[in-house]
Amino acid sequence: MVGRLVENLELYGRLSELDRRAIAALPLTLRRFEPGEDMVIEGDAPSHCRLLISGLAFRHKTLRDGRRQIMSFHVPGDICDIEGLLLSMDHSVSALSRAEVGFIPHLAMEALLDGHPAISRALWRTELVEAAVAREWMVGMGRRTAYARIAHLFCEMYARLGAMGLVENGRCRFPITQTHLSDSLGLSVVHTNRVLQALRGDGLLSFRGGELIVHDWPGLQAAGEFDPAYLHLRSVAA
Amino acid sequence: MDLILQPVMVDTGEEGEGCLVFAEGWLVAVLVRLSDSHEDESGYWFLEKGFGRLDRPDPPSFSDLPTAEQWIKEHLEIRRPPRWPGDPGEA
C-alpha cells in the first residue's frame, strides 16, 4: 500500500532500491473515510502523515457563512497533509470519494527523510508541483473563462490520474459534484452546469455518475489552454 | 421601494427568458429563468447579475419572481457599512 507513495515520488525523479525499501518499511495504519468526511481539520497539529491509498481527497477552507473554497484535489499516492509535518494545518482536508488512507507516524517520516536525501528531494519536488498547481488555479480563477477553467481542471485531473495508472480507455473515476466544481473554480452552480452542458455539446467529454470520459483529448486541452508542463510529470497520460 | 421588472431575452445559452430589475430608475439586477437542464432548480429565477449591493460571489436562485423581488428589496435596504474611517456609512 505504501507503494503508492513510491509510485508518486517516482513520477518526479528516480529513487534507488535502498530508498524504495526504506519507504516500503514505513509503519502504516489503514483507515477508511466516507465521502465528505474530514481527514484533518484547520487548526489541527497532526502527529501522522495521511497518505492517500485509494479514492480522492480535497483541501478546502470555509468562510463563516458557509461559503467554501476548494484549493486542490488529491489522487492516490499524495500525502494530503504534508505541511502538518512542520506546521499546524491552516486548512482542512476531506475525502471526495470513499477513500483509504495510510497513517504514517511523523517520527517515522522524519527518520526516513533524515536518512534518505533523495526521498527528501522527491517529496520537496511534489510540494513544489503542488504550489505550481495552485498558481495555475490562480491564473484560471483570475483570467480564464468559465469554459476554459472547467476544461483545464478536467485536463489536470485526467493527466494526474493517468500518471498514477488510473485512466483506462479515456475513462477515470472523478466523483465530483457540480457543487465541488463550483467551489473549486469560483463559479456558481448554475454557470458550472451550463459549461458542463457546453463541453458535452462540443463533444469533448462526458461526465456522469462520477466518471469522466474524455472523447477528444486534444480538443479538451485546447479548450482549457492546458499545457501539462507545470505538472512536471516524467510522462503525461494521453 | 418599488421594483420594475422588464422582460428581456438574455443570451446565456439557455432558453433566454429573463428580466431586468429596476429600483428607482436604477438597473440593479438581471434575472434569468433556468431551463430543465438544472434539474432541482429548473424553472427557478437565477440572479444572473447583480449590481452594486446585489453583486455577490454566490448568486442565489429563487423559486418564483415574488421571492426574488423580496430578496432584492431586502438586500437593497441593508445599510451600507462605512468604507473608510470617518465615513458615516448610510442611514
Side-chain angles (χ1 to χ4, degrees):
Chain A
M1 277 173 297
V2 79
R4 277 287 188 207
L5 180 58
V6 176
E7 278 177 62
N8 184 19
L9 295 179
E10 290 215 300
L11 293 175
Y12 306 101
R14 288 187 198 289
L15 297 177
S16 71
E17 190 48 42
L18 211 63
D19 292 331
R20 273 187 232 119
R21 257 186 267 148
I23 293 173
L26 279 171
L28 178 138
T29 312
L30 200 64
R31 242 200 87 181
R32 284 187 175 80
F33 289 88
E34 293 301 314
E37 197 180 342
D38 292 326
M39 293 180 180
V40 60
I41 57 173
E42 191 174 344
D44 279 359
S47 56
H48 291 73
C49 287
R50 286 152 178 79
L51 169 66
L52 193 57
I53 308 283
S54 69
L56 298 172
F58 62 100
R59 295 178 190 265
H60 61 97
K61 261 183 125 107
T62 302
L63 300 180
R64 264 185 239 158
D65 65 0
R67 278 177 285 159
R68 178 177 69 174
Q69 179 65 45
I70 293 177
M71 275 91 67
S72 63
F73 292 105
H74 290 279
V75 302
D78 287 355
I79 295 177
C80 302
D81 60 345
I82 190 64
E83 49 278 269
L85 195 58
L86 300 168
L87 305 166
S88 60
M89 295 300 291
D90 53 33
H91 59 276
S92 303
V93 182
S94 304
L96 181 70
S97 61
R98 186 169 288 180
E100 286 179 300
V101 176
F103 281 62
I104 303 165
H106 279 176
L107 283 176
M109 192 55 114
E110 283 162 8
L112 177 81
L113 297 176
D114 288 346
H116 298 266
I119 298 176
S120 192
R121 276 195 298 275
L123 199 59
W124 187 9
R125 232 174 265 132
T126 64
E127 290 315 298
L128 292 174
V129 170
E130 201 173 317
V133 169
R135 283 192 289 276
E136 202 64 30
W137 280 40
M138 205 187 293
V139 171
M141 264 186 275
R143 289 293 175 251
R144 285 196 180 102
T145 64
Y147 185 83
R149 236 182 275 182
I150 293 186
H152 193 278
L153 177 65
F154 281 126
C155 286
E156 181 180 293
M157 293 308 293
Y158 188 72
R160 291 176 61 202
L161 288 165
M164 290 302 286
L166 297 169
V167 171
E168 219 171 300
N169 300 323
R171 292 165 182 258
C172 57
R173 291 285 308 155
F174 186 31
I176 191 178
T177 63
Q178 289 190 9
T179 303
H180 288 119
L181 270 177
S182 60
D183 285 353
S184 51
L185 299 171
L187 299 168
S188 68
V189 176
V190 167
H191 282 112
T192 302
N193 185 31
R194 283 182 193 147
V195 172
L196 285 174
Q197 310 279 347
L199 288 165
R200 258 186 228 129
D202 292 341
L204 301 178
L205 56 81
S206 316
F207 180 61
R208 190 170 296 148
E211 187 180 52
L212 168 67
I213 307 172
V214 174
H215 300 299
D216 176 359
W217 178 231
L220 187 61
Q221 290 181 89
E225 301 160 20
F226 178 73
D227 175 353
Y230 72 98
L231 292 174
H232 301 273
L233 294 165
R234 281 161 62 202
S235 63
V236 174
Chain B
M1 178 191 303
D2 286 331
L3 300 180
I4 294 171
L5 273 59
Q6 180 183 320
V8 68
M9 296 303 283
V10 185
D11 185 6
T12 60
E14 297 189 42
E15 286 147 21
E17 184 182 358
C19 60
L20 304 178
V21 183
F22 293 90
E24 293 165 359
W26 295 78
L27 176 62
V28 293
V30 180
L31 296 168
V32 166
R33 189 144 208 209
L34 297 178
S35 67
D36 290 347
S37 68
H38 294 279
E39 295 175 2
D40 293 353
E41 295 201 330
S42 80
Y44 274 50
W45 288 87
F46 174 59
L47 180 70
E48 188 70 40
K49 178 69 195 166
F51 299 97
R53 262 169 276 192
L54 304 184
D55 185 7
R56 310 176 62 87
D58 56 339
S61 301
F62 308 96
S63 54
D64 51 40
L65 282 176
T67 314
E69 287 183 70
Q70 186 59 36
W71 183 92
I72 289 172
K73 281 184 192 170
E74 281 169 16
H75 282 76
L76 287 176
E77 281 162 9
I78 292 171
R79 187 176 176 273
R80 178 175 67 76
R83 289 182 187 173
W84 54 80
D87 174 26
E90 249 172 41

